[in-house]
Amino acid sequence: MMERQEIGRIAHRDHPVAAPLSDESVHRLLERQLRRCPEGRVLDLGCGEGTWLVRALASYPGLRAVGVDTNAAALEAGRQTAERAGVARRIGLHHLDVREFTSAERFDAVLSVGATYAFGGLSQTLDAVRPLLAPGGTLLLGESYWDGQLTDRSREFFGDELTDLPGTVAAVRAAGWWPVAGHTSTRDELDAYEWAWTGSLADWALDRPPGPDRDQALEAADRHRDEWLNEYREGFGFVTLLLRYEG
């Protein structure tokens, strides 16, 4: 039986990052955040395979990076990617629950894109990042939101915590954070992400001989595609905000 983390890792293998953002959007957001601290320290909470961090280090030779995730296989893949990119000596990847991560040094840039669930929600993520951020530092936060009418099944699938885009920004402001830049994922980005998720998983499975892993992967791809197309495609959005804290 394949674990959920392994299914997710396979499903993301053909997409730039584990979030509905194009390659160009990832580049633009990193550039906007890291131009403030080209020789600073950057932290990714929920880093997966460290894709954001490896790209950041490749673009900024003076950066040092730390990534935290509970997926050991993803972290090992990230270490190998960092080696191939020639940045392994400037990155530390930690197999740890993000809620347990502490550091004696603060970070000039923190990322948490599509990982607020690991903290228990948006407000908990914002609270956890604040003591890790150096004065004048920034948080690149990626969060889902509702955009339009939703079915009862969609609300059951995603939970009641999500709100619409104005509500998401209002929650950020209420916690003392200022949006200084942002990107709302386009329909093309959202669709490309879902096609990649389901397609990569199916592609992986179809290259395997008959067996439980193959069947489980194909079932997961079918189930996810059905939920996306029939339940939440018209009502799901994703925003990535660059934030500074006032306090």
Side-chain angles (χ1 to χ4, degrees):
M1 179 70 67
M2 297 174 68
E3 294 184 358
R4 183 177 178 180
Q5 284 187 337
E6 178 64 10
I7 288 176
R9 193 174 72 84
I10 294 167
H12 286 112
R13 68 178 186 174
D14 296 317
H15 197 265
V17 292
L21 293 159
S22 68
D23 200 59
E24 294 78 12
S25 295
V26 172
H27 175 79
R28 186 170 60 253
L29 288 163
L30 279 175
E31 174 69 18
R32 179 65 176 83
Q33 182 179 33
L34 299 177
R35 70 188 188 191
R36 295 175 53 86
C37 55
E39 297 185 353
R41 283 168 50 83
V42 58
L43 167 68
D44 190 346
L45 295 166
C47 67
E49 295 188 7
T51 308
W52 288 86
L53 294 180
V54 171
R55 290 182 62 149
L57 293 171
S59 297
Y60 293 89
L63 278 182
R64 292 171 294 149
V66 172
V68 183
D69 204 280
T70 58
N71 191 328
L75 292 172
E76 179 56 33
R79 291 186 183 96
Q80 295 176 15
T81 301
E83 288 282 357
R84 290 193 296 270
V87 301
R89 298 181 70 177
R90 293 188 284 127
I91 188 172
L93 298 174
H94 301 275
H95 184 217
L96 186 69
D97 189 313
V98 291
R99 294 169 295 183
E100 299 174 1
F101 177 77
T102 59
S103 175
E105 293 186 80
R106 294 191 176 189
F107 294 85
D108 304 289
V110 177
L111 298 92
S112 182
V113 181
T116 59
Y117 68 89
F119 293 91
L122 174 59
S123 62
Q124 294 93 327
T125 303
L126 295 172
D127 289 344
V129 169
R130 195 165 58 244
L132 296 170
L133 202 62
T138 58
L139 165 63
L140 191 64
L141 177 82
E143 177 68 321
S144 305
Y145 66 90
W146 293 132
D147 183 21
Q149 287 296 113
L150 302 169
T151 65
D152 291 339
R153 187 178 171 189
S154 294
R155 292 187 183 279
E156 183 179 329
F157 180 74
F158 285 102
D160 297 324
E161 292 80 11
L162 296 186
T163 182
D164 57 13
L165 181 56
T168 301
V169 175
V172 167
R173 283 293 298 117
W177 294 81
W178 285 92
V180 296
H183 174 77
T184 305
S185 292
T186 65
R187 168 58 61 200
D188 285 346
E189 286 178 308
L190 291 161
D191 283 354
Y193 173 77
E194 298 291 0
W195 284 122
W197 201 104
T198 57
S200 297
L201 195 56
D203 201 32
W204 178 89
L206 292 169
D207 285 336
R208 297 302 184 275
D213 287 354
R214 183 182 192 271
D215 293 344
Q216 185 182 355
L218 289 173
E219 180 185 355
D222 265 344
R223 183 173 62 252
H224 188 107
R225 189 185 311 105
D226 178 69
E227 290 168 343
W228 163 51
L229 291 174
N230 296 301
E231 299 294 336
Y232 67 84
R233 180 173 181 262
E234 299 302 323
F236 183 77
F238 193 85
V239 63
T240 309
L241 299 169
L242 185 62
L243 305 174
R244 295 185 64 180
Y245 183 69
E246 179 186 35

